[in-house]
Amino acid sequence: MFTVETLINAGKTFLMLFGELFALFIGISFVVALLQIYISQDRIKRILTTPRKGLNSVLGALLGAVTPFCSCSTIPVLVGLFKSGAPFCGAISFLLTSPILNPAIITLMLAFFGIKATIVYTVFTFLFAVIMGLVLDAAGFEKEIKNVTVKGGHQDGISWEKMTGSFWQKQGQAMMYALKDAFGLFKGVLLFLLLGAGIGAFIYEFIPTDLLANFAGASNLWAVPLAALVGVPMYIRTETMIPIASILIAKGVAPGVMIALILGGAGASIPEVSLLSSIFKKKMVITFVVCIFAVATITGYIFNVIM
């Protein structure tokens, strides 16, 4: 099993995966940093103060999709939205899309899963966030908000409005900051990227295809909800899981199983749920986790059908 040839092949697979991840991550992080300069947290609050609930929920989902804040930044923004009088539906739609639908996820899915799967994933998760924001608002969950202030999030305060100089001077400043930020983020997740590429290469070369296909193939109907259930308490980095998922799918694991695992872990990890518990009462926290589990499971089954 561990022959010189298989070890060399595993090394080649590792280098290929890491090279793809490096190029994608730097590119994605650069674009994301620019977006976070152009669309500041204050601007998000201003946009989401429109009184029309349907439009507000759509805007919240859109802003969540283009502002891929981590949990430590999403939660303070959410509290700011509530304190600025933003409608509950829009704030919840923002909360739902921010971890599970962002430029990083979309780009990685395009690279590893293809355009059809990416479109289905994007449309379904976006509609889910909009609908759930409106449903939870109509059900009166706004009363589940605690009267708290959460500190944290993006602290450097760099935004387009605060920059000085001409348009092109500000554009140059934004580009330089975004590039610096991209490589800074890369250093922070380098270990995760190496781990993801290493696990993917090991699975590709050494794990029998039949074993994975029997345990988590499309014929096992319980594999999708089980993956969603397992993923919910996990803290999953998309940068690590998507390349591993592409390898597992090639080895026979159903696409829906991997999507359910990624969605569950990205949408309702223990760190995020802990932060949400500081601003929501127990009923809302439980409802949020159930919503993430539901969208992970449903999306997983849809993926098994289309792929």
Side-chain angles (χ1 to χ4, degrees), residues 17-305:
L17 284 173
F18 183 74
E20 289 180 0
L21 287 172
F22 172 78
L24 287 169
F25 187 85
I26 293 297
I28 294 166
S29 299
F30 178 77
V31 173
V32 166
L34 282 177
L35 285 171
Q36 290 183 313
I37 292 172
Y38 298 144
I39 309 175
S40 65
Q41 295 182 14
D42 290 337
R43 182 173 293 182
I44 291 173
K45 293 174 187 177
R46 291 198 299 271
I47 292 173
L48 288 184
T49 52
T50 173
R52 289 170 289 182
K53 290 186 176 181
L55 176 60
N56 193 271
S57 192
V58 171
L59 289 174
L62 282 171
L63 287 169
V66 299
T67 52
F69 298 125
C70 62
S71 298
C72 62
S73 295
T74 300
I75 304 306
V77 173
L78 185 69
V79 173
L81 290 174
F82 288 144
K83 290 188 175 297
S84 65
F88 183 77
C89 58
I92 293 302
S93 294
F94 170 82
L95 172 67
L96 288 169
T97 55
S98 188
I100 64 174
L101 183 64
N102 60 53
I105 292 177
I106 292 172
T107 306
L108 286 169
M109 287 196 69
L110 274 171
F112 289 101
F113 292 154
I115 189 168
K116 183 171 75 169
T118 305
I119 291 173
V120 170
Y121 176 90
T122 302
V123 170
F124 189 81
T125 51
F126 180 82
L127 290 177
F128 162 80
V130 172
I131 292 169
M132 288 311 302
L134 293 170
V135 168
L136 293 178
D137 184 275
F141 275 84
E142 188 172 2
K143 65 180 182 293
E144 299 296 318
I145 303 172
K146 295 179 181 178
N147 185 22
V148 296
T149 300
V150 178
K151 297 180 180 180
H154 195 58
Q155 296 294 330
D156 52 27
I158 296 176
S159 65
W160 184 260
E161 294 92 338
K162 295 180 181 179
M163 289 181 175
T164 57
S166 67
F167 173 83
W168 292 112
Q169 288 175 328
K170 291 168 70 175
Q171 201 70 263
Q173 295 173 40
M175 293 285 185
M176 290 300 297
Y177 171 78
L179 191 61
K180 181 181 177 182
D181 191 61
F183 278 98
L185 287 173
F186 177 75
K187 290 180 182 178
V189 301
L190 177 59
L191 181 61
F192 292 102
L193 297 180
L194 289 169
L195 181 63
I199 292 174
F202 178 83
I203 291 171
Y204 186 78
E205 291 298 331
F206 300 113
I207 302 298
T209 300
D210 292 343
L211 176 65
L212 293 173
N214 291 335
F215 180 73
S219 60
N220 185 353
L221 295 179
W222 290 103
V224 170
L226 182 60
L229 189 64
V230 170
V232 163
M234 294 173 65
Y235 178 59
I236 292 176
R237 292 195 72 97
T238 306
E239 301 93 337
T240 302
M241 279 306 300
I242 287 184
I244 295 174
S246 68
I247 296 293
L248 287 169
I249 290 170
K251 299 287 283 187
V253 174
V257 173
M258 294 312 307
I259 290 298
L261 181 69
I262 293 170
L263 266 175
S269 64
I270 288 177
E272 181 167 7
V273 171
S274 298
L275 286 169
L276 287 174
S277 298
S278 68
I279 62 172
F280 289 128
K281 297 176 184 177
K282 187 180 296 185
K283 181 180 177 182
M284 178 60 199
V285 175
I286 293 172
T287 302
F288 175 81
V289 173
V290 170
C291 286
I292 294 297
F293 172 79
V295 73
T297 301
I298 296 169
T299 307
Y301 282 128
I302 291 174
F303 258 69
N304 279 347
V305 172

